[in-house]
Amino acid sequence: MALSKNPAAWLTVLIALVLVPLVPSSAQATWPRTTVSSWITTPDRARLLDPGPSPVFRRHGSSNQTTITVDERQRFQSIDGFGASLTDSSASLLYSLSESQRDDVMASLFDRTDGIGMSFLRQPIGSSDFVDGPHYTYNDLPDGETDFDMSRFSIAHDEVRILPLLRQARALNPSLKVMATPWGQPAWMKENNSTIGGRLKDDPDIFAAYALYLLRFVEAYEDAGVPIYALTVQNEPQHGDPDGYPGTDMPVEHQAAIIEKLGPMLDDAGYGHVKILSFDHNWALHPDDPGGNPRYPYDVLKSQAVTWIDGTAYHCYAGSPDAQTALHDSFPDKDIWFTECSGWHGNDDSPAKYFSDTLRWHAQNVTIGTTRNWARAAINWNLALNSQGGPANGGCGNSTTGKCTGVVHIDGTTVTRNAEYYNLGHMTKYVRPGAVRIGSDNAGDIHNVAFKNPGGTIVLVATNIGGSTQTFTVSWSGRSIEYTLDSGAVATLTWRA
């Protein structure tokens, strides 16, 4: 019988349509099961990126715990990666190992399956303080000679150990990005005729020659199989009196003038995709830079060079990460990268103490602190050092009060993975390049940052900066879990959105 001719049948159908949603079924009554995977590192080294609990998200109930709310609707910066610097010292130590052991160490650093999968490196352009030998640039000349057209430019020094390792790292992690930074310029460009200290000659021809020097580096590394993702034009430009290693006092006007020449050169040569980052120094003025300009990163972005500047690079040795947010709020269309922080310990510190101290400080300030404050990358300093903080030629190598630490220590054939390795691993193994930081709120002593990967996985990295073990709630999409974290520990939690 047709329904249109049977009002009673129509009424029966309408009642059914109204009541069906009210009748629970197994599909309607059960929320999708979302299980969390987690990994933990503790300050006592008892757990080192070890698997942790696997709680299941449940519908919200009452909770008296500190709560982190993860909100996918809030989206911030995209992520380039996390890593360190393959200095000359690091390359020397890696080449002191047998080929098979070196391959194992490299895999532990760059392979995401067999290691932590580092995804970003900051490469010195020429010498830094961490060299296993004399300082060098790519255009060192006898006194009195110049080479404005870079006819004698050569990266031969890097072809021995550094470039083979960079190519190996890229083979282990094809998504690896490499940025590059100079510590000093060829002596013939400097007022004091030295790579160490002083300023560039205040001469437009010198600025042009130096910009060409940087372009030649980009071209040479590209030809050697290591494309450059980004450049800065001077490491720590307000630290013009380095302790026996290359460095240059570079005022804002000099940096802007160089960038104004470098940008068009890169464009004309087909490298307009290479990002130019300004500043590359601390969150705040360092005590060693009393005559510095506290507004330096702002002033560069106010100069005419801003056309060519993609963003700003920061270091950790003075100030706090919230300086990055202050700059971002003033220049929201310019990105931020965090490009250097070295672990360090006093001469009397035991390995257990400096592991614990570094894990706590770097988790709070470097991996979590910088990314919560808009950093697209977070980079440690040396990839590898020995346990005495060397080899080095100046800087930390001259210190009588303490030593720098690497991501790994290499002493003979003994390789030790330091706190930096595990802090980075909590990011690099789980946060993919191209991930986006999403909303999450610091909850008391549980500092954290959250990301959403391109494939949809959500990653929450948290550290307990308090003095005792704490249990907290993670709230997401109308559901929640509880998690417990020891004092000073770091945890990564992941789940499918």
Side-chain angles (χ1 to χ4, degrees), residues 49 81-84 109 116-118 120 359 362 366-367 378-381 383 407 418-430:
L49 271 174
F82 305 86
L109 292 165
I116 60 172
M118 282 190 186
F120 205 105
L359 186 73
H362 278 231
V366 178
T367 49
I379 307 171
N380 280 105
W381 188 199
L383 190 68
V407 176
N418 292 322
E420 294 93 327
Y421 178 89
Y422 297 101
N423 257 324
L424 288 169
H426 275 281
M427 293 287 189
T428 53
K429 278 187 74 71
Y430 311 105

Short mmCIF file of all heavy atoms in Angstrom, two decimals, residues 49 81-84 109 116-118 120 359 362 366-367 378-381 383 407 418-430:
data_model
loop_
_atom_site.label_atom_id
_atom_site.label_comp_id
_atom_site.label_asym_id
_atom_site.label_seq_id
_atom_site.Cartn_x
_atom_site.Cartn_y
_atom_site.Cartn_z
N LEU A 49 64.47 7.23 26.59
CA LEU A 49 63.53 7.08 25.47
C LEU A 49 62.87 5.71 25.49
O LEU A 49 62.63 5.09 24.46
CB LEU A 49 64.22 7.32 24.12
CG LEU A 49 64.23 8.76 23.61
CD1 LEU A 49 65.08 8.87 22.34
CD2 LEU A 49 62.82 9.27 23.32
N GLY A 81 62.59 21.28 11.77
CA GLY A 81 63.30 20.14 12.32
C GLY A 81 64.11 20.48 13.56
O GLY A 81 64.08 21.60 14.07
N PHE A 82 64.87 19.48 14.01
CA PHE A 82 65.66 19.57 15.23
C PHE A 82 67.00 18.89 14.98
O PHE A 82 67.09 17.91 14.26
CB PHE A 82 64.94 18.87 16.38
CG PHE A 82 63.55 19.39 16.63
CD1 PHE A 82 62.47 18.87 15.92
CD2 PHE A 82 63.32 20.40 17.54
CE1 PHE A 82 61.18 19.34 16.13
CE2 PHE A 82 62.04 20.88 17.76
CZ PHE A 82 60.97 20.36 17.05
N GLY A 83 68.07 19.43 15.60
CA GLY A 83 69.36 18.80 15.38
C GLY A 83 70.49 19.51 16.08
O GLY A 83 70.34 20.05 17.17
N ALA A 84 71.66 19.56 15.40
CA ALA A 84 72.87 20.10 16.00
C ALA A 84 73.78 20.60 14.89
O ALA A 84 73.31 20.88 13.79
CB ALA A 84 73.57 19.03 16.85
N LEU A 109 72.09 8.80 15.03
CA LEU A 109 71.78 10.23 15.02
C LEU A 109 70.75 10.61 13.97
O LEU A 109 69.88 11.46 14.23
CB LEU A 109 73.07 11.04 14.77
CG LEU A 109 74.11 11.00 15.89
CD1 LEU A 109 75.46 11.52 15.39
CD2 LEU A 109 73.64 11.84 17.08
N ILE A 116 67.53 8.49 16.31
CA ILE A 116 66.56 9.54 16.67
C ILE A 116 66.12 10.38 15.47
O ILE A 116 65.22 11.21 15.59
CB ILE A 116 67.10 10.45 17.78
CG1 ILE A 116 68.41 11.16 17.35
CG2 ILE A 116 67.30 9.66 19.07
CD1 ILE A 116 68.89 12.20 18.35
N GLY A 117 66.75 10.20 14.31
CA GLY A 117 66.25 10.85 13.10
C GLY A 117 66.38 12.35 13.08
O GLY A 117 65.43 13.06 12.73
N MET A 118 67.56 12.89 13.45
CA MET A 118 67.75 14.34 13.38
C MET A 118 67.37 14.85 12.00
O MET A 118 67.68 14.25 10.99
CB MET A 118 69.21 14.70 13.67
CG MET A 118 69.58 14.68 15.11
SD MET A 118 71.22 15.40 15.29
CE MET A 118 71.49 15.08 17.02
N PHE A 120 67.64 18.49 11.13
CA PHE A 120 68.13 19.83 10.84
C PHE A 120 69.57 19.94 11.34
O PHE A 120 69.87 19.53 12.46
CB PHE A 120 67.27 20.88 11.56
CG PHE A 120 67.26 22.24 10.93
CD1 PHE A 120 66.18 22.69 10.20
CD2 PHE A 120 68.34 23.09 11.06
CE1 PHE A 120 66.15 23.95 9.63
CE2 PHE A 120 68.34 24.36 10.51
CZ PHE A 120 67.24 24.79 9.78
N LEU A 359 69.42 17.69 30.93
CA LEU A 359 68.09 17.20 30.53
C LEU A 359 67.01 18.16 30.98
O LEU A 359 66.12 18.53 30.19
CB LEU A 359 67.85 15.81 31.14
CG LEU A 359 66.56 15.13 30.68
CD1 LEU A 359 66.68 14.62 29.25
CD2 LEU A 359 66.19 13.98 31.62
N HIS A 362 67.53 21.93 29.16
CA HIS A 362 67.30 21.92 27.71
C HIS A 362 65.86 21.55 27.37
O HIS A 362 65.29 22.09 26.41
CB HIS A 362 68.28 20.98 27.02
CG HIS A 362 69.62 21.60 26.78
ND1 HIS A 362 70.24 21.60 25.56
CD2 HIS A 362 70.46 22.25 27.61
CE1 HIS A 362 71.40 22.22 25.64
NE2 HIS A 362 71.55 22.62 26.89
N VAL A 366 65.03 24.73 25.59
CA VAL A 366 65.44 24.56 24.20
C VAL A 366 64.37 23.85 23.37
O VAL A 366 63.75 24.45 22.50
CB VAL A 366 66.80 23.84 24.11
CG1 VAL A 366 67.21 23.62 22.65
CG2 VAL A 366 67.88 24.64 24.84
N THR A 367 64.13 22.58 23.65
CA THR A 367 63.19 21.86 22.78
C THR A 367 61.75 22.32 22.99
O THR A 367 61.01 22.55 22.02
CB THR A 367 63.30 20.34 23.01
OG1 THR A 367 63.25 20.06 24.42
CG2 THR A 367 64.59 19.81 22.44
N ALA A 378 64.96 23.85 16.39
CA ALA A 378 65.73 23.98 17.62
C ALA A 378 67.01 23.18 17.45
O ALA A 378 66.96 21.96 17.20
CB ALA A 378 64.94 23.49 18.82
N ILE A 379 68.15 23.86 17.57
CA ILE A 379 69.43 23.26 17.21
C ILE A 379 70.41 23.37 18.38
O ILE A 379 70.64 24.45 18.91
CB ILE A 379 70.03 23.96 15.97
CG1 ILE A 379 69.00 23.99 14.84
CG2 ILE A 379 71.30 23.25 15.52
CD1 ILE A 379 69.43 24.83 13.66
N ASN A 380 70.97 22.23 18.76
CA ASN A 380 72.08 22.22 19.70
C ASN A 380 73.36 22.63 19.01
O ASN A 380 73.40 22.83 17.79
CB ASN A 380 72.23 20.84 20.33
CG ASN A 380 71.24 20.60 21.45
OD1 ASN A 380 70.26 19.87 21.29
ND2 ASN A 380 71.49 21.20 22.58
N TRP A 381 74.45 22.70 19.77
CA TRP A 381 75.74 23.06 19.17
C TRP A 381 76.41 21.78 18.69
O TRP A 381 75.87 21.11 17.83
CB TRP A 381 76.51 23.90 20.18
CG TRP A 381 77.78 24.57 19.78
CD1 TRP A 381 78.74 25.04 20.64
CD2 TRP A 381 78.28 24.90 18.47
NE1 TRP A 381 79.78 25.61 19.96
CE2 TRP A 381 79.52 25.54 18.62
CE3 TRP A 381 77.78 24.69 17.19
CZ2 TRP A 381 80.29 25.98 17.54
CZ3 TRP A 381 78.54 25.12 16.09
CH2 TRP A 381 79.77 25.75 16.28
N LEU A 383 77.63 18.34 17.41
CA LEU A 383 77.09 17.00 17.25
C LEU A 383 77.89 16.01 18.08
O LEU A 383 77.33 15.11 18.72
CB LEU A 383 77.13 16.61 15.77
CG LEU A 383 76.39 15.35 15.36
CD1 LEU A 383 74.89 15.54 15.50
CD2 LEU A 383 76.73 14.99 13.91
N VAL A 407 76.24 16.40 21.60
CA VAL A 407 75.08 15.51 21.60
C VAL A 407 75.55 14.10 21.97
O VAL A 407 74.89 13.38 22.73
CB VAL A 407 74.38 15.53 20.24
CG1 VAL A 407 73.24 14.52 20.19
CG2 VAL A 407 73.84 16.93 19.95
N ASN A 418 74.56 11.73 25.30
CA ASN A 418 74.32 12.68 26.38
C ASN A 418 72.86 13.10 26.45
O ASN A 418 72.03 12.70 25.63
CB ASN A 418 75.23 13.90 26.20
CG ASN A 418 76.69 13.55 26.40
OD1 ASN A 418 77.02 12.74 27.27
ND2 ASN A 418 77.56 14.15 25.61
N ALA A 419 72.55 13.95 27.43
CA ALA A 419 71.17 14.40 27.61
C ALA A 419 70.63 15.07 26.36
O ALA A 419 69.44 14.96 26.03
CB ALA A 419 71.09 15.35 28.80
N GLU A 420 71.51 15.78 25.63
CA GLU A 420 71.08 16.45 24.40
C GLU A 420 70.51 15.43 23.40
O GLU A 420 69.55 15.73 22.69
CB GLU A 420 72.24 17.20 23.76
CG GLU A 420 72.75 18.37 24.58
CD GLU A 420 73.90 18.02 25.50
OE1 GLU A 420 73.93 16.87 26.01
OE2 GLU A 420 74.76 18.88 25.73
N TYR A 421 71.13 14.26 23.34
CA TYR A 421 70.68 13.22 22.42
C TYR A 421 69.23 12.84 22.71
O TYR A 421 68.39 12.74 21.80
CB TYR A 421 71.59 12.00 22.54
CG TYR A 421 71.21 10.82 21.67
CD1 TYR A 421 71.72 10.70 20.39
CD2 TYR A 421 70.36 9.82 22.15
CE1 TYR A 421 71.39 9.61 19.59
CE2 TYR A 421 70.02 8.73 21.36
CZ TYR A 421 70.54 8.63 20.07
OH TYR A 421 70.19 7.56 19.28
N TYR A 422 68.92 12.63 23.99
CA TYR A 422 67.58 12.19 24.35
C TYR A 422 66.57 13.33 24.27
O TYR A 422 65.42 13.12 23.82
CB TYR A 422 67.61 11.54 25.73
CG TYR A 422 68.49 10.31 25.72
CD1 TYR A 422 69.78 10.34 26.23
CD2 TYR A 422 68.04 9.13 25.12
CE1 TYR A 422 70.60 9.22 26.17
CE2 TYR A 422 68.85 8.00 25.04
CZ TYR A 422 70.14 8.06 25.57
OH TYR A 422 70.95 6.96 25.49
N ASN A 423 66.97 14.53 24.67
CA ASN A 423 66.07 15.67 24.51
C ASN A 423 65.67 15.86 23.05
O ASN A 423 64.50 16.04 22.72
CB ASN A 423 66.73 16.95 25.04
CG ASN A 423 66.21 17.36 26.39
OD1 ASN A 423 65.04 17.20 26.69
ND2 ASN A 423 67.09 17.88 27.23
N LEU A 424 66.67 15.84 22.17
CA LEU A 424 66.37 15.97 20.74
C LEU A 424 65.53 14.79 20.27
O LEU A 424 64.59 14.95 19.48
CB LEU A 424 67.67 16.05 19.94
CG LEU A 424 68.45 17.36 20.05
CD1 LEU A 424 69.83 17.21 19.41
CD2 LEU A 424 67.69 18.51 19.39
N GLY A 425 65.87 13.59 20.75
CA GLY A 425 65.13 12.41 20.32
C GLY A 425 63.66 12.45 20.64
O GLY A 425 62.83 11.92 19.89
N HIS A 426 63.31 13.08 21.76
CA HIS A 426 61.90 13.21 22.11
C HIS A 426 61.15 14.04 21.08
O HIS A 426 59.92 13.95 20.98
CB HIS A 426 61.75 13.81 23.50
CG HIS A 426 61.83 12.79 24.61
ND1 HIS A 426 60.78 11.98 24.94
CD2 HIS A 426 62.86 12.43 25.41
CE1 HIS A 426 61.13 11.17 25.92
NE2 HIS A 426 62.40 11.43 26.23
N MET A 427 61.87 14.86 20.32
CA MET A 427 61.27 15.62 19.22
C MET A 427 61.47 14.91 17.88
O MET A 427 60.53 14.65 17.13
CB MET A 427 61.88 17.02 19.16
CG MET A 427 61.54 17.91 20.34
SD MET A 427 59.82 18.47 20.27
CE MET A 427 59.81 19.68 21.58
N THR A 428 62.74 14.61 17.54
CA THR A 428 63.06 14.22 16.17
C THR A 428 62.45 12.88 15.77
O THR A 428 62.14 12.68 14.59
CB THR A 428 64.58 14.16 15.98
OG1 THR A 428 65.16 13.33 16.99
CG2 THR A 428 65.20 15.54 16.08
N LYS A 429 62.27 11.96 16.69
CA LYS A 429 61.70 10.66 16.32
C LYS A 429 60.21 10.76 16.03
O LYS A 429 59.65 9.89 15.34
CB LYS A 429 61.93 9.64 17.43
CG LYS A 429 63.31 8.99 17.42
CD LYS A 429 63.41 7.88 18.43
CE LYS A 429 62.66 6.63 18.03
NZ LYS A 429 63.31 5.91 16.90
N TYR A 430 59.56 11.80 16.54
CA TYR A 430 58.10 11.81 16.50
C TYR A 430 57.51 13.04 15.81
O TYR A 430 56.40 12.96 15.29
CB TYR A 430 57.57 11.70 17.94
CG TYR A 430 58.23 10.59 18.69
CD1 TYR A 430 59.20 10.83 19.66
CD2 TYR A 430 57.94 9.26 18.38
CE1 TYR A 430 59.85 9.80 20.32
CE2 TYR A 430 58.59 8.21 19.03
CZ TYR A 430 59.54 8.49 20.00
OH TYR A 430 60.20 7.46 20.63
#
